């Protein structure tokens, strides 16, 4: 499948933000902590969620979907502890299932996890964390086998900040014996929301949202209704999209407090916007100017907005420097922007210099990963002529029915085989 987009038109209207992908995936994993049915609201209809649902159904979970993005999950009769070797490699986030499964069953088998190019990262932190909690880990040609009689609370120091590892170990520790202290933990709002939910189910977690999280293990948890917060990455992407196309766009159902630094950087560029309680109105802006951008863990500038923001910087006056500090290889979409007419120098795998403004032209490109794929969409909106974007499965992994939502804003976009 590919998108064909005719650019050069301003956007107009309102666009609603869906549920946070990176929280919804963890909510599905959390269902294994409970013997009761769990109800999860506001789950986005995206490919990563579909993959996770297939994995948990293969394990024996019962899944019921309602029309309004609500799911009912029951893991009461699950006894299988080996993740599918066919399904699991397609989704790196499948590793978050291991924490809840160890807490519930005392064992789990993980085939080598997958994901997009950006997702292919070592899982050493997870393995070291599980070992610290008393888990025996064996590796063979098929993957990893984890086993423990009972998880034991301990102190674990993250060598680098990891959102997924923080969430996985936090979920595992809720049912461990004794106190677990996580040092140098990630601080994303999805983590504190997950902790708040688990606390509502009987867990004893404090410090979530800070770099030190303390979990007092409990004997059991009782499932509650889980409401997924708005996706801050999607909200930020739409704000950058509006700024790049100099459009008047209202972004609804978002939490602007989760975007303090990205909004600050938009302001420094010269973008005008009005912030409401749960919406952002981006206004057409002139005389945009270059800035230097450095990605950082939350609450810094999120790496997932770096590619869309780089597209914006191709349309501003002057020379900008983008420094990607989180993932090596995340700037490798630059050649595609240059193919469209951008003037970007890739200094090394972490730094790029953008000279602007440059006129972009429609070309045939592809989506290397979720966020760079969406950056290609934004570039095509401001480009002259027709752009074809291949490998749009990557975009579908993180953005629900994006072409329909953009069509409602006046964009000429179609999905074709």
């Amino acid at each position: 499948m590919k998108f064909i987009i005719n650019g050069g038109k301003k956007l107009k209207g309102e666009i609603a933000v869906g549920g946070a992908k990176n929280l919804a995936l963890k909510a599905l994993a959390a269902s294994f902590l409970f013997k009761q049915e769990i109800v999860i609201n506001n789950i986005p209809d995206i490919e990563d969620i579909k993959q996770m649902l297939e994995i948990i159904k293969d394990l024996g979970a019962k899944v019921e979907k309602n029309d309004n993005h609500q799911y009912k999950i029951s893991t009461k009769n699950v006894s299988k502890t080996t993740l599918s070797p066919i399904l699991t490699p397609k989704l790196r986030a499948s590793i978050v299932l291991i924490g809840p499964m160890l807490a519930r069953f005392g064992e789990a088998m993980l085939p080598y996890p997958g994901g997009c190019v950006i997702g292919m990262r070592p899982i050493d932190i997870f393995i070291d964390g599980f070992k610290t909690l008393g888990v025996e880990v064996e590796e063979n040609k098929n993957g990893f086998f984890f086993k423990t009689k009972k998880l034991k609370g301990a102190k674990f120091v993250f060598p680098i900040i990891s959102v997924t590892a923080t969430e996985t170990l936090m979920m595992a520790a809720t049912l461990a014996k004794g106190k677990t202290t996580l040092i140098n933990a990630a601080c994303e709002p999805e983590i504190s929301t997950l902790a708040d939910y688990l606390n509502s189910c009987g867990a004893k977690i404090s410090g979530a949202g800070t770099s030190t999280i303390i979990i007092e293990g409990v004997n059991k948890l009782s499932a509650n209704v889980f409401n997924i917060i708005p996706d801050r990455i999607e909200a930020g992407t739409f704000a950058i999209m509006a700024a790049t196309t100099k459009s008047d766009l209202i972004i609804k159902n978002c939490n602007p407090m989760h975007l303090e630094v990205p909004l600050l950087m938009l302001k420094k560029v010269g973008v005008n916007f009005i912030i409401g309680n749960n919406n952002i109105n981006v206004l057409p802006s002139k005389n945009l100017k270059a800035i230097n951008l450095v990605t950082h863990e939350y609450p810094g500038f999120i790496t997932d907005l770096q590619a869309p923001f780089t597209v914006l910087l191709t349309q501003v006056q002057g020379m900008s420097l983008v420094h990607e500090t989180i993932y090596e290889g995340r700037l490798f979409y630059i050649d595609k922007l240059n193919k469209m007419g951008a003037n970007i120098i890739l200094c090394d795998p972490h730094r790029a210099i953008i000279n602007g403004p440059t006129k972009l032209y429609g070309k045939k490109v592809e989506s290397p990963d979720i966020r760079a794929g969406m950056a290609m969409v934004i570039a095509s909106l401001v480009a002259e002529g027709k752009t074809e974007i291949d490998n749009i499965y990557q975009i579908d992994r993180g953005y629900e029915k994006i072409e329909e939502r953009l069509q409602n804003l006046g964009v000429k976009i179609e999905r074709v085989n």
Side-chain angles (χ1 to χ4, degrees):
M1 300 290 282
K2 63 183 177 182
F3 285 144
I4 296 179
I5 302 172
N6 286 288
K9 283 180 68 76
K10 293 186 186 301
L11 317 179
K12 183 67 178 177
E14 301 179 346
I15 188 166
V17 174
K21 172 180 90 87
N22 291 336
L23 178 60
L25 289 168
K26 318 307 161 46
L28 294 174
S31 67
F32 283 79
L33 293 169
F34 313 105
K35 292 182 179 179
Q36 309 94 342
E37 179 182 79
I38 177 175
V39 176
I40 311 172
N41 293 319
N42 200 30
I43 291 190
D45 188 14
I46 54 177
E47 290 299 324
D48 273 12
I49 293 294
K50 293 174 184 176
Q51 291 288 351
M52 181 64 98
L53 288 168
E54 289 302 310
I55 291 169
I56 68 172
K57 283 193 284 188
D58 179 76
L59 289 170
K62 290 186 177 180
V63 177
E64 179 185 333
K65 182 186 179 184
N66 292 336
D67 292 336
N68 56 349
H69 294 83
Q70 181 191 78
Y71 283 81
K72 294 179 180 179
I73 314 286
S74 174
T75 61
K76 180 180 178 180
N77 297 319
V78 169
S79 57
K80 182 179 177 182
T81 56
T82 298
L83 273 65
S84 166
I86 296 172
L87 298 171
T88 303
K90 298 177 182 178
L91 181 70
R92 187 180 186 277
S94 57
I95 195 171
V96 301
L97 288 160
I98 302 302
M101 291 176 70
L102 284 171
R104 171 94 171 268
F105 307 115
E107 66 178 39
M109 173 68 187
L110 174 74
Y112 290 105
C116 63
V117 175
I118 300 301
M120 300 300 287
R121 301 183 293 277
I123 62 169
D124 305 19
I125 296 177
F126 295 86
I127 292 172
D128 292 343
F130 290 139
K131 286 180 177 178
T132 301
L133 295 179
V135 178
E136 295 178 11
V137 183
E138 294 181 16
E139 182 180 4
N140 58 36
K141 63 180 182 179
N142 297 317
F144 301 90
F145 182 66
F146 304 88
K147 189 166 186 177
T148 181
K149 289 183 179 178
K150 176 69 176 176
L151 293 173
K152 298 180 177 66
K155 182 176 85 169
F156 181 71
V157 180
F158 292 94
I160 59 172
I161 295 172
S162 169
V163 176
T164 309
T166 297
E167 292 162 325
T168 305
L169 295 180
M170 184 175 75
M171 286 192 284
T174 58
L175 294 174
K177 184 179 181 180
K179 183 174 80 171
T180 299
T181 304
L182 303 178
I183 306 292
N184 197 30
C187 303
E188 273 70 4
E190 291 82 7
I191 294 172
S192 54
T193 304
L194 177 61
D196 289 344
Y197 171 73
L198 293 172
N199 284 339
S200 78
C201 300
K204 295 181 179 178
I205 304 170
S206 59
T210 75
S211 59
T212 301
I213 302 176
I214 297 173
I215 306 106
E216 297 281 354
V218 297
N219 291 325
K220 70 172 185 175
L221 298 172
S222 299
N224 210 332
V225 176
F226 200 149
N227 295 309
I228 302 300
I229 60 174
D231 195 312
R232 61 198 169 92
I233 301 169
E234 188 172 82
T237 301
F238 294 156
I240 295 167
M241 179 175 69
T244 306
T245 56
K246 295 181 169 59
S247 299
D248 186 342
L249 183 65
I250 297 174
I251 301 150
K252 303 193 304 180
N253 301 346
C254 64
N255 187 339
M257 292 179 65
H258 293 163
L259 289 165
E260 297 279 15
V261 174
L263 289 174
L264 172 66
M265 301 313 287
L266 283 175
K267 188 175 181 180
K268 285 181 174 292
V269 168
V271 177
N272 297 316
F273 52 85
I274 302 169
I275 298 175
N277 289 331
N278 61 354
N279 61 76
I280 303 167
N281 184 7
V282 180
L283 303 168
S285 307
K286 296 179 180 180
N287 303 320
L288 301 182
K289 57 183 183 294
I291 61 166
N292 292 337
L293 181 75
V294 181
T295 61
H296 199 277
E297 293 87 358
Y298 189 85
F301 192 96
I302 183 172
T303 177
D304 288 332
L305 291 179
Q306 174 261 108
F309 207 93
T310 299
V311 177
L312 169 61
L313 294 177
T314 68
Q315 302 303 300
V316 308
Q317 185 68 45
M319 184 175 73
S320 303
L321 172 68
V322 169
H323 187 180
E324 171 57 57
T325 67
I326 309 297
Y327 298 135
E328 187 165 319
R330 192 146 218 181
L331 290 170
F332 290 167
Y333 63 90
I334 293 297
D335 60 330
K336 296 170 178 56
L337 286 181
N338 282 339
K339 181 180 178 182
M340 295 178 73
N343 181 2
I344 305 175
I345 302 168
L346 186 61
C347 306
D348 55 45
H350 290 280
R351 294 176 301 159
I353 294 172
I354 302 99
N355 292 288
T358 53
K359 194 172 185 62
L360 300 184
Y361 299 90
K363 299 287 183 179
K364 288 186 178 181
V365 293
E366 63 179 17
S367 310
D369 62 74
I370 304 178
R371 311 307 175 183
M374 198 59 200
M376 293 301 109
V377 171
I378 295 173
S380 70
L381 295 180
V382 78
E384 181 180 292
K386 182 175 75 174
T387 302
E388 292 187 18
I389 305 176
D390 282 318
N391 193 26
I392 61 172
Y393 171 79
Q394 292 291 347
I395 299 171
D396 290 337
R397 287 181 54 208
Y399 300 89
E400 179 178 337
K401 298 177 181 175
I402 190 63
E403 77 278 11
E404 294 180 19
R405 297 156 81 190
L406 292 180
Q407 285 166 1
N408 290 334
L409 302 177
V411 175
K412 292 184 177 179
I413 175 174
E414 57 180 327
R415 178 187 294 261
V416 298
N417 287 320

